[in-house]
Amino acid sequence: MREMSEERDVIRGKLKQIVFRNDDNGYTVARFIVDDLQQRQVTITGYLPVFSEDALMELSGSYVDHPRYGMQFQVETFHRVMPDDEDSLIRFLSGPLFEGIGKKYAETIVAALGKDAIHRIKNDPTVLDSVPKMTSKRRTAILEGLKESDDDLENLIQFFVAHGLGMRNVMKLERIYGKEAVEKIQENPYRMVDEVDGIGFATADKVAMSLGFELEDPRRLEAAMVALVDQMNMQSGDTFVNREGLAHQMKRQCAGLTYDFDELLESLLLQRRLVEEEGRIYHVDQYDAEVQIAQFLTLFPFEELEPVDPETLQFELDALQEKLAITYDQAQLDAIHTFFKHDAMILTGGPGTGKTTVVRALTALFKKLYPYQRIACCAPTGRAAKRLAELTETDTFTIHSLLGWDLESNTFTKTEQDPLIVDLLIIDEFSMVDSWLFAALCKASVHVKKLCIIGDEDQLPSVRCGCVLKDLITSELFPLVRLERIFRQSEGSDVITLAHQIRQGQTEELDCHGDVAFFPVGLYEIKDQVINVVQSALNKGYDIQDIQVLASKYNGPAGIDRLNAALQQCLNPPEKGKREWKAGYRTFREGDKILQLKNQPDDDVYNGDIGMLVEIVYANEDEAGKNRLIVDFEGIPVEYTSDNLLNISHAYCISVHKSQGSEYPIVIMPVVRDYGIMLQRRLIYTGVTRAKKSLVLLGEKDALIRGIASQEHHLRSTTLTQRITAMLNPEF
């Protein structure tokens, strides 16, 4: 095993051409001429300010062989280099910064003051008096030019790096605050929590402590309370907290500090960082999200499509059934007619109930009946979006990519000001969509004329706050079509039968036969039995990508971490010539199955995508200077270094939550008492329904029965349904 040190390279030169620049975060790709004998050109990348082309810069970083774009120099730090030879000094002093100072007079300055002319002028401007033919106008031009050439951003970087911030966050601060960044953050570092995405309370507090702020500073306590509300929401999935609960948690977090809870809360309400409503305390983002959704849906649509002639619809429907050699049952026909009769519809149902068949019919008929109208299909995950694209033969996106998500600012380019140009919007796997994301989609959908929401109401709710699908169904705002009849009689139908038993809470005579197997195994035998089942499937000709192990928690004898390590050792053991890289407690090895943990839209990979680690490049092997992993996501190569290694993990075993929106030919799922309160009906149901062909459950039968009988331990608290009702009936 090898672990190589990573050393920085340094290059000096001038900018030649900007190839790409993101003005929101400063990320830049540019051509750079290195100041050496060859005057070679290199491509540089990094979070950089706009350099003038005549500025001599020194860049520190490392060379990286990008899998798509070849060798690049990744910039980590930089600073402007003042010219220190006569020719460079003359070019600098006769440049655009120094109005009225031509080449000849620049030569006069250098002749009079020597090679350290700039240093001498900065230290003592009166040395200009010794330069022949110096005028007040020339003096002013020289001093103002030198002042402008002082790199404010370089000083800003030095300040924030000294206080624990990295380049990426420094560029965010420079973009948001400009030249006043240092002054504003020195005055109140806690403003970063609200104003700079990606900087939370802990980071701001670290800067504040470094600056000498007091523990009981009101700005610190206010930021702590806002962060606490957000944290409580994320832990519970609720969109608000109650006043008493917040006071209790604040007392625990700020133990030993003196503060007035009511006074702090009142200040935050006046600033509208928190919102109070009938004793409920909302983070302003959650409050605004609920209001945005309710307002949009109660007024929807803002534009209408021409209604479809019923006879024309029936003619096209008959033709489609004949073409596909299919006869829709009454519930499916009701869904189709409801879709064309109403502006919006919710379609729900478990696996095998024909949702796929209905969606294919809806899109095919819409294209026939509205040939000039635009359709966009979207889903929360990349895998779900790909499946939807294959199904509908329509442009399909993740919700984030449809809205033009910017990773750096966590904002969307598609908004009310630049809305989606779409007539029909179909959203699949809607149970995974949280309040904030759906609110953003609503903002950008003012031109949408027809909306179809598809989801399984019995699956796990969104990871983030809210339970939007449940709230919309409860509100009865839109027609709901619930498909219940099981159609699938082919391979995997036993999985569907079991899924519906779980959905209905049936625990007697569970159907574990055919495509479903249950192996009674003790907690400490889970690991070995999982390996046996996986090995058996591989021996039958399945590929490792066809087999997915799902678990309910990360630690413990049957946890994700333990199973990943054991499966890697069995399926991809160390071999001579096979490269590996140890990162913390994990060892990445060529041939590993890899899970993407976060969206990386620039690389076209998204949370939940699974790929193969195809190559490891060590730091000392070429000009790169960094250890690198290359992962192939179904033909898309993506590179990882220590900078973004947290975005991936092993995928031999993943959580049920991470599997949502995906399907696998074979699912293996341990079910043991050790999973505790995590083991409940929605989680088991969600895991079971990931299996397309075969399902293997192993563990303790009583744990499975107890889990199926266990409803959610915490029903999420939201007020979206009440808002919709209030807006529809304002006098109520």
Side-chain angles (χ1 to χ4, degrees), residues 168 554 581 583-586 588 594-600 605-608 627 629 631 633 638-650 658:
R168 193 168 184 171
Y554 282 86
W581 178 21
Y585 69 92
R586 297 177 298 176
F588 289 100
I594 297 296
L595 173 69
Q596 181 72 21
L597 300 174
K598 292 184 178 181
N599 291 334
Q600 288 181 210
V605 292
Y606 298 89
N607 183 6
N627 297 310
L629 308 182
V631 180
F633 291 95
V638 181
E639 177 183 296
Y640 299 88
T641 67
S642 56
D643 296 331
N644 59 351
L645 197 62
L646 290 175
N647 289 359
I648 60 172
S649 182
H650 292 104
K658 284 294 183 186

Side-chain angles (χ1 to χ4, degrees), residues 359 377-379 383-394 396-397 426-428 454:
V359 173
C377 299
C378 61
R383 292 174 76 92
K386 289 172 186 175
R387 196 171 69 246
L388 189 59
E390 295 167 359
L391 170 68
T392 63
E393 298 180 352
T394 303
T396 305
F397 312 83
I426 297 176
I427 314 170
D428 197 11
I454 307 162

Side-chain angles (χ1 to χ4, degrees), residues 449-460:
K449 303 175 182 66
K450 190 174 283 289
L451 178 65
C452 181
I453 291 171
I454 307 162
D456 187 341
E457 59 187 309
D458 293 306
Q459 283 193 25
L460 289 168

Side-chain angles (χ1 to χ4, degrees), residues 363-380:
T363 53
L365 290 169
F366 190 88
K367 290 174 185 177
K368 278 281 188 181
L369 297 167
Y370 298 100
Y372 303 108
Q373 306 300 317
R374 292 144 299 194
I375 305 174
C377 299
C378 61

Side-chain angles (χ1 to χ4, degrees), residues 181 245 320 330 355 537 653 675 684:
L320 181 64
Q330 190 57 52
K355 293 195 303 296
C653 178
Y675 289 159
I684 297 172

Side-chain angles (χ1 to χ4, degrees), residues 95-148:
L97 288 175
F98 302 91
E99 187 177 352
I101 308 296
K103 182 180 179 183
K104 285 194 173 183
Y105 197 71
E107 291 173 347
T108 301
I109 296 172
V110 174
L113 301 179
K115 292 181 181 180
D116 60 346
I118 293 174
H119 178 73
R120 291 181 63 189
I121 296 169
K122 284 186 173 182
N123 283 346
D124 181 11
T126 62
V127 299
L128 289 172
D129 297 337
S130 64
V131 180
K133 299 183 181 179
M134 179 60 63
T135 65
S136 60
K137 185 175 181 181
R138 283 174 172 167
R139 178 199 299 274
T140 301
I142 293 168
L143 294 178
E144 288 184 355
L146 288 176
K147 183 178 179 181
E148 190 174 342

Side-chain angles (χ1 to χ4, degrees), residues 176-446:
I176 294 171
Y177 302 124
K179 294 182 178 181
E180 298 178 333
V182 172
E183 179 184 346
K184 287 180 178 291
I185 301 309
Q186 282 180 322
E187 177 189 348
N188 181 14
Y190 296 103
R191 67 186 301 161
M192 294 188 290
V193 178
D194 297 323
E195 299 171 354
V196 185
D197 187 74
I199 294 184
F201 175 78
T203 300
D205 199 41
K206 180 180 177 182
V207 174
M209 293 300 101
S210 180
L211 290 170
F213 274 65
E214 297 293 332
L215 291 174
E216 294 180 357
D217 189 296
R219 292 164 295 185
R220 180 177 190 268
L221 295 170
E222 288 178 357
M225 184 179 288
V226 173
L228 183 57
V229 171
D230 195 41
Q231 177 186 329
M232 292 171 68
N233 287 155
M234 289 300 297
Q235 288 175 346
S236 66
D238 301 339
T239 57
F240 62 86
V241 300
N242 62 62
R243 190 183 184 109
E244 294 75 19
L246 177 60
H248 176 69
Q249 290 298 325
M250 189 72 180
K251 185 176 181 180
R252 290 183 58 188
Q253 182 164 305
C254 298
L257 301 182
T258 302
Y259 65 93
D260 186 317
F261 175 84
D262 293 330
E263 188 177 301
L264 285 174
L265 178 58
E266 185 62 30
S267 174
L268 290 168
L269 296 175
L270 288 172
Q271 297 172 58
R272 205 176 179 273
R273 294 165 69 187
L274 298 178
V275 177
E276 184 173 22
E277 191 178 69
E278 297 179 0
R280 301 182 296 265
I281 310 297
Y282 299 79
H283 189 287
V284 65
D285 292 344
Q286 291 300 327
Y287 179 84
D288 287 347
E290 283 197 349
V291 171
Q292 172 67 46
I293 294 169
Q295 289 178 341
F296 175 82
L297 293 180
T298 53
L299 295 174
F300 184 83
F302 299 87
E303 307 171 43
E304 295 185 352
L305 287 170
E306 287 293 324
V308 174
D309 175 62
E311 292 185 4
T312 304
L313 173 59
Q314 190 60 51
F315 174 81
E316 293 295 347
L317 182 54
D318 292 341
L320 181 64
Q321 291 183 95
E322 183 177 347
K323 176 183 176 181
L324 299 177
I326 190 173
T327 301
Y328 300 117
D329 84 331
Q330 190 57 52
Q332 292 172 322
L333 290 172
D334 289 345
I336 294 168
H337 284 287
T338 299
F339 171 80
F340 284 101
K341 182 179 179 181
H342 297 275
D343 300 311
M345 178 185 81
I346 299 174
L347 179 65
T348 188
T353 56
K355 293 195 303 296
T356 296
T357 302
V358 171
V359 173
R360 184 184 288 118
L362 297 182
T363 53
L365 290 169
F366 190 88
K367 290 174 185 177
K368 278 281 188 181
L369 297 167
Y370 298 100
Y372 303 108
Q373 306 300 317
R374 292 144 299 194
I375 305 174
C377 299
C378 61
T381 68
R383 292 174 76 92
K386 289 172 186 175
R387 196 171 69 246
L388 189 59
E390 295 167 359
L391 170 68
T392 63
E393 298 180 352
T394 303
D395 290 339
T396 305
F397 312 83
T398 64
I399 298 175
H400 283 80
S401 62
L402 178 66
L403 294 175
W405 180 56
D406 177 60
L407 175 65
E408 297 302 320
S409 62
N410 197 27
T411 58
F412 300 101
T413 58
K414 293 298 178 183
T415 61
E416 307 99 319
Q417 288 72 40
D418 182 18
L420 298 167
I421 307 302
V422 170
D423 299 290
L424 166 61
L425 180 62
I426 297 176
I427 314 170
D428 197 11
E429 296 288 354
F430 195 76
S431 64
M432 299 174 66
V433 178
D434 60 81
S435 300
W436 178 81
L437 184 57
F438 189 48
L441 190 56
C442 290
K443 285 182 183 179
S445 297
V446 292

